[in-house]
Amino acid sequence: MASIDDELGRLAKQRIQAGELPCDPERRMWGSRGSGALCSLCGRPIRHEEVEYEIEMPEEGAERVLRLHLACHSVWQAECMRARDAPANAH
C-alpha cells in the first residue's frame, strides 16, 4: 500500500510536469495558521490548526500565490529538486 507521501509525490510530479505547479524560485514565502484555503498540491482545505505556507511566485505580468500544507510544501520542494537533478532525457 502506498504511503501518503508517495501519493503526494506522484501528484506533485504530475502537476509540475503539467505546468500546474512551478519549480521557479519563490519571490516571498511565509507561514501562518491555516486560512481554510485549498492547498495548491492536494486540493484539500488548510484547516486553522494546520500550518499554511503562502508562496508568491513570479509570473509574466503578475504574481501567482500558492498555498500549501506543511507536508505538501515539503513534497513539492523535493519533487522540484528531483526535476532539476534529473537528466534532460530521463522520463
Side-chain angles (χ1 to χ4, degrees):
M1 184 173 187
S3 74
I4 291 173
D5 283 347
D6 291 341
E7 292 173 28
L8 285 175
R10 280 192 294 280
L11 182 58
K13 185 176 180 177
Q14 290 170 354
R15 293 203 169 164
I16 290 166
Q17 290 174 343
E20 297 170 9
L21 283 176
C23 283
D24 302 324
E26 69 271 356
R27 182 162 290 157
R28 293 189 319 173
M29 179 179 80
W30 57 96
S32 63
R33 289 180 179 250
S35 67
L38 298 181
C39 177
S40 297
L41 175 56
C42 73
R44 291 177 296 141
I46 306 170
R47 298 185 319 256
H48 182 71
E49 63 273 9
E50 297 177 301
V51 173
E52 176 179 330
Y53 280 116
E54 189 170 335
I55 303 145
E56 289 181 359
M57 303 294 295
E59 286 196 337
E60 284 187 42
E63 281 190 0
R64 179 177 181 186
V65 176
L66 303 176
R67 289 179 168 77
L68 298 150
H69 293 99
L70 174 63
C72 292
H73 177 267
S74 296
V75 169
W76 169 59
Q77 289 296 294
E79 287 302 322
C80 284
M81 288 175 59
R82 283 187 190 97
R84 281 191 292 269
D85 294 343
N89 60 356
H91 293 275

